[in-house]
Amino acid sequence: MDDWFFRQGGRDRIINWLGIDSKINSVLTETWVLIVDKWNAAESFFARFQLTGWRRLVNELLSETVSIATAAFVVLYAAALPALLEFDESKFLTGKFAVKFLDANGNELGKRGILHNDAVPLNEIPDHLIKATLATEDRRFFEHYGVDFLGTARALATNIQANDVVQGGSTLTQQLAKNLFLSSERSIERKIKELFLSFLLESRYSKEEILKLYFDRAYMGGGAFGVEAASFYYFGKSVREVNMAEAALMAGLFKAPTKFAPHVNLAASRARTNEVLDNMVEAGFYTSGQVHSARLQPAKTIDHSTTASPDWFLDFAFDEIQRLAEGKNEYVLTARTTIDMSLQRKADEAVQATLRKEGRAHGIGSAAMVVTETDGAVRAVVGGPDYGDSQFNRATKAKRQPGSSFKIYVYAAALENGYKPETIVRDASRSCGRWSPSNYGGGGGSGARMPLWLALAKSYNTVAAELSFAVGRDKVIELTNRLGVAGVTKSCSMALGDGGVTVMDHVGGVATFANGGRLARPFAILDITTSKGDLLYSRERDEPPAPQIVKRQVAEQMNQMMQKVVTDGTGTRAALDFTHAAGKTGTSTGPKDAWFVGFTGKYVAGVWLGNDDNRPMRGGSSGVTGGQFAAPLWHAFMTVAHTDMNIPTIPGLEPHPVQIAEQQRAAEQKAAEIAAGISQPDVANADGTPQRPQSILPDRTRDALKVLSAALRKAGTIGTLPVTPAKATVPASPTSLPTSPTTSAPATPGLPLPPGNTAPDVAPNAADDRRATLAPVGKRRANSIADPSEDRLGGN
């Protein structure tokens, strides 16, 4: 062939495509042949194991069983893991301390803890009490392994037949697991945890040990835990000495100690006791004749009609005792506390009244409330609707979404970083990933311009979110940690309160602003003495002064803004006519949580409403919001809590007219007393605080008298010594209050002002920093539509 390609030797100089193609075909063919040979060899090999007939059926069943068992084990482990994490053997040692609690005046409040060497052994507990308990709570206790499936089925059938819950299916072991490790929330998750914890308890402890733990840890009403404490509380004697009627009464308390307590409802207690006696006969433990005398001669109890144990507060105080006394090798203690029993009763009544009025109609099943002084001294704690039904303290243990009440910390962080109450901001925000904030009722903001205080008062989500992005979410978290609000995590919607906080921590954080910026960690213990009378702890002696953790100017500006929430925003239902109030509402998505946290010049209080199982509440067209339900509860309490109108002024606000009139009256009375020679003029220290009058007694004499009076009270020969109330220092004239200098409000960093617009100056008046002295006063006796700007998850 004569052509240019072959003449130039082109075939020799280019790639041999035909050779490559041939090679590829050869390799693929050989590979396929090899695979087919191997496959055939494998088939021949496994053909030896091929099963037919009944052998194949058995093999399939075994294979499926192994697969199902493996999957079941994985699911079982996943379900049991949360329960295993809840198991903590230190919970068995909660009786390490035996503590008697007193109020500030020395009046006994109640006791917590037990001494292990004083606990009654199981073989000394009367047989009729053990049988009464088993007959009523768990008849097959010695036959099951923690969960009685037969008993549960029987209880279910009985309840269906009666169309009501008349019989429970929980065993003693399950009840013990709940009492020791879990809350009383009604949910599938808690029930699964209870199930596995019961198996764990049964595997580690004998039946006798479980029964003994149950008798020692069960709540029996009146602040008494365990049958020994309950026996002394109700009958004034050891459990070793109770008769059959008394044993039946005690056995009836395990189900609902508050409902069936004889000092609460004697008729219900007698009916429950007869039910227990019937159960003892039905179970075959006794005959009708043997229980007949117990029916004719019911148990006689000690009269407790005039006493009420502040159980929620005592639980919180007992936790503090364990922290303060840890490692000091003293276990029998007496603690003087900060509680005000008058305020505690008023807080209980306010919460109960709200639940009775609004609970059923709006699906509100639970509530919590904490009241403190502005320095953090806890005056009252309400941890739930009924301590007898559930001892889980929702005020100190439950972490709930604070909603828009968390914006307090976002705006405070903004003020610390150059913002002012009059700084102009826009109703708009940037996005964070795929998330964008929206205001209550929907919408991503109108773009309208407004001062910073108005954005807080109307609770705009867009502004709060933008502030957190502009200032820095890490700075907001740093501020919450500084204030003692623990557990806040960084997220896009953090500014709207998407995390969990306790009512106690929230109130402590807000109290810092109420006192002008000083740390206000809630505390319940004033001092602790040992069984020998030695002072183990004194807050005045052992705790350093509260540090200034927020600049006073920032605290004052926040107080001015929070007052606007009450006067012009979502919290108008919290407004008081006799003094200034400041605070913030909050509502979480659902709504599952409704909040109001606020303060006057004297008290700080936080209110939470919701459900233990996290079910959403329900309402009318406006729904359930913090401004609609929590704020009125707060208002109802504060209205009755302030009995003295000489209320300190909130830092940053002008004195209220009622306080001005009261201060003038007190000043005139003081002047008249000085003129008559009844009292001496008040002398101030260098820091402005009133100087304590010098005692006519030498220090050594005063100390000796204190020791003598303590010994006499311990011996029971005299009552509580009277305490003279201290006089509060009152300024001679309200016009002498200092004012803060005028400050300029720059434009918001990251949020530009419109052209030609400047932020006006702010000239807030600083509050009178002098606080009325809280003095013990002798033994106390028992005697509108929601704002449309309220939002969810950061709601109102």
Side-chain angles (χ1 to χ4, degrees):
M1 184 179 294
D2 187 15
D3 59 37
W4 69 271
F5 183 79
F6 286 99
R7 285 199 306 269
Q8 299 299 324
R11 184 178 292 277
D12 296 331
R13 292 197 299 269
I14 65 175
I15 299 172
N16 188 358
W17 293 107
L18 294 176
I20 293 174
D21 180 66
S22 175
K23 187 67 173 177
I24 291 173
N25 288 338
S26 175
V27 170
L28 290 175
T29 301
E30 292 175 358
T31 303
W32 175 251
V33 170
L34 181 62
I35 291 173
V36 171
D37 289 343
K38 295 293 185 183
W39 179 263
N40 291 333
E43 276 191 331
S44 299
F45 177 77
F46 284 108
R48 304 173 188 176
F49 304 102
Q50 187 173 3
L51 300 176
T52 58
W54 66 270
R55 292 185 178 87
R56 181 172 181 175
L57 180 61
V58 172
N59 180 69
E60 292 292 338
L61 289 175
L62 289 176
S63 299
E64 293 300 327
T65 301
V66 171
S67 300
I68 294 173
T70 303
F73 176 78
V74 172
V75 172
L76 191 66
Y77 181 77
L81 188 59
L84 298 177
L85 294 177
E86 294 281 356
F87 189 81
D88 180 7
E89 291 193 354
S90 66
K91 299 285 183 69
F92 297 122
L93 304 177
T94 53
K96 181 178 181 181
F97 295 99
V99 186
K100 179 169 68 175
F101 290 97
L102 313 175
D103 65 11
N105 299 319
N107 304 310
E108 185 172 340
L109 299 170
K111 298 177 181 179
R112 284 293 184 270
I114 59 172
L115 286 176
H116 290 297
N117 57 357
D118 283 351
V120 180
L122 185 64
N123 58 8
E124 295 183 20
I125 294 177
D127 187 60
H128 40 257
L129 176 57
I130 295 175
K131 289 181 177 178
T133 303
L134 295 179
T136 304
E137 299 296 330
D138 188 1
R139 296 182 188 179
R140 300 182 67 251
F141 173 69
F142 287 99
E143 300 173 22
H144 60 68
Y145 196 73
V147 178
D148 185 6
F149 295 102
L150 182 62
T152 302
R154 183 173 58 249
L156 182 62
T158 303
N159 293 338
I160 292 174
Q161 189 176 16
N163 198 28
D164 194 9
V165 180
V166 296
Q167 195 174 110
S170 295
T171 64
L172 286 186
T173 312
Q174 287 176 276
Q175 294 179 46
L176 178 63
K178 185 188 76 171
N179 292 340
L180 289 177
F181 308 113
L182 304 172
S183 70
S184 293
E185 93 175 275
R186 296 182 177 180
S187 65
I188 297 297
E189 181 183 0
R190 190 208 40 103
K191 206 64 181 176
I192 292 174
K193 288 182 179 179
E194 183 184 289
L195 182 76
F196 286 106
L197 286 170
S198 300
F199 290 141
L200 190 57
L201 286 172
E202 290 277 352
S203 66
R204 293 201 177 192
Y205 301 96
S206 67
K207 287 289 186 180
E208 290 74 15
E209 289 172 325
I210 292 173
L211 186 59
K212 180 65 171 63
L213 283 170
Y214 182 80
F215 280 139
D216 283 346
R217 295 292 182 267
Y219 179 65
M220 307 288 283
F225 285 84
V227 293
E228 175 73 349
S231 181
F232 274 105
Y233 180 78
Y234 291 113
F235 312 122
K237 59 185 177 182
S238 172
V239 70
R240 299 177 178 91
E241 303 169 17
V242 298
N243 57 36
M244 183 177 290
E246 293 164 342
L249 186 152
M250 293 176 64
L253 294 173
F254 291 112
K255 180 179 180 180
T258 300
K259 180 179 178 181
F260 297 123
H263 63 284
V264 174
N265 190 333
L266 182 59
S269 177
R270 292 278 173 85
R272 177 65 173 169
T273 300
N274 283 326
E275 183 181 341
V276 173
L277 293 173
D278 289 339
N279 291 336
M280 296 167 71
V281 175
E282 289 177 9
F285 294 146
Y286 293 97
T287 65
S288 298
Q290 288 174 311
V291 302
H292 184 65
S293 62
R295 296 184 193 275
L296 295 179
Q297 298 176 343
K300 296 180 180 179
T301 59
I302 298 173
D303 183 18
H304 292 286
S305 57
T306 59
T307 63
S309 176
D311 294 312
W312 303 113
F313 177 88
L314 294 183
D315 287 347
F316 171 68
F318 188 56
D319 289 341
E320 188 173 342
I321 284 283
Q322 294 179 86
R323 176 177 58 82
L324 294 173
E326 184 65 33
K328 297 187 177 180
N329 298 323
E330 292 287 348
Y331 303 108
V332 182
L333 306 171
T334 300
R336 200 164 58 93
T337 66
T338 59
I339 193 172
D340 184 324
M341 283 302 296
S342 175
L343 291 180
Q344 179 67 57
R345 283 189 291 270
K346 291 171 182 176
D348 287 329
E349 292 166 1
V351 168
Q352 291 299 325
T354 297
L355 291 177
R356 284 194 302 268
K357 180 182 178 182
E358 310 290 356
R360 183 180 296 274
H362 298 94
I364 304 172
S366 192
M369 186 176 189
V370 171
V371 183
T372 73
E373 295 272 342
T374 57
D375 64 353
V378 179
R379 300 302 184 200
V381 179
V382 181
D386 189 334
Y387 190 83
D389 288 343
S390 168
Q391 293 85 57
F392 179 68
N393 198 332
R394 297 151 188 85
T396 61
K397 304 292 185 183
K399 289 196 171 187
R400 306 293 301 223
Q401 288 187 346
S404 279
S405 64
F406 185 82
K407 292 175 184 175
I408 294 171
Y409 310 118
V410 178
Y411 280 76
L415 294 178
E416 286 189 331
N417 286 273
Y419 290 72
K420 303 295 179 185
E422 296 295 337
T423 299
I424 300 301
V425 294
R426 292 182 59 219
D427 178 17
S429 174
R430 71 193 79 173
S431 297
C432 178
R434 296 183 178 181
W435 178 83
S436 297
S438 60
N439 291 324
Y440 178 71
S446 64
R449 298 175 185 274
M450 66 194 75
L452 193 68
W453 67 262
L454 183 60
L456 178 64
K458 297 300 182 182
S459 198
Y460 289 116
N461 285 345
T462 51
V463 177
E466 178 60 27
L467 285 175
S468 70
F469 299 143
V471 172
R473 286 169 288 170
D474 291 329
K475 291 183 179 179
V476 177
I477 294 175
E478 188 276 329
L479 174 61
T480 59
N481 291 335
R482 207 190 318 154
L483 295 172
V485 182
V488 178
T489 57
K490 186 176 180 180
S491 67
C492 290
S493 56
M494 178 188 73
L496 311 186
D498 65 350
V501 300
T502 66
V503 182
M504 186 67 74
D505 285 350
H506 209 2
V507 169
V510 173
T512 294
F513 301 103
N515 67 37
R518 296 184 300 275
L519 181 64
R521 290 189 185 276
F523 65 93
I525 304 301
L526 295 174
D527 52 56
I528 306 172
T529 55
T530 67
S531 57
K532 300 177 182 178
D534 298 328
L535 186 63
L536 186 69
Y537 166 84
S538 168
R539 181 171 182 83
E540 183 178 3
R541 180 194 69 185
D542 299 330
E543 299 292 342
Q548 189 82 23
I549 59 172
V550 174
K551 291 182 179 179
R552 185 174 180 86
Q553 182 184 23
V554 171
E556 291 176 352
Q557 291 173 340
M558 273 305 304
N559 295 344
Q560 295 162 8
M561 293 169 65
M562 284 190 279
Q563 186 201 20
K564 292 292 187 181
V565 173
V566 176
T567 59
D568 302 299
T570 59
T572 54
R573 296 189 181 192
L576 302 170
D577 58 5
F578 57 87
T579 191
H580 291 308
K584 186 70 187 78
T585 55
T587 311
S588 70
T589 302
K592 297 179 179 178
D593 309 274
W595 292 76
F596 187 83
V597 184
F599 52 89
T600 65
K602 185 170 181 59
Y603 297 123
V604 186
V607 173
W608 168 83
L609 299 171
N611 288 298
D612 290 341
D613 58 4
N614 223 27
R615 282 182 295 108
M617 295 172 284
R618 59 183 182 272
S621 59
S622 58
V624 175
T625 63
Q628 186 182 9
F629 292 105
L633 196 166
W634 186 93
H635 172 273
F637 168 77
M638 285 295 186
T639 299
V640 297
H642 293 80
T643 56
D644 181 3
M645 291 299 103
N646 189 16
I647 302 169
T649 304
I650 296 175
L653 305 184
E654 294 284 351
H656 191 276
V658 173
Q659 274 72 71
I660 293 176
E662 178 65 19
Q663 291 168 359
Q664 290 175 341
R665 185 199 63 79
E668 292 170 359
Q669 181 179 353
K670 179 71 174 180
E673 291 177 354
I674 294 173
I678 300 175
S679 63
Q680 298 295 323
D682 292 330
V683 180
N685 295 316
D687 60 357
T689 58
Q691 200 175 74
R692 294 180 62 184
Q694 293 184 351
S695 173
I696 61 174
L697 293 177
D699 289 341
R700 292 181 63 183
T701 304
R702 189 187 310 109
D703 293 340
L705 287 174
K706 285 181 179 178
V707 173
L708 178 61
S709 63
L712 290 173
R713 282 197 298 272
K714 185 176 179 182
T717 56
I718 64 172
T720 304
L721 294 179
V723 182
T724 303
K727 288 184 172 59
T729 302
V730 181
S733 172
T735 58
S736 63
L737 295 172
T739 58
S740 59
T742 301
T743 55
S744 177
T748 309
L751 298 173
L753 291 170
N757 194 358
T758 58
D761 291 340
V762 182
N765 288 325
D768 182 0
D769 192 35
R770 294 184 290 273
R771 299 176 60 249
T773 304
L774 178 67
V777 292
K779 187 172 182 179
R780 306 178 187 276
R781 296 183 182 272
N783 304 339
S784 103
I785 298 177
D787 193 288
S789 63
E790 296 173 348
D791 44 46
R792 301 284 199 274
L793 184 58
N796 87 8

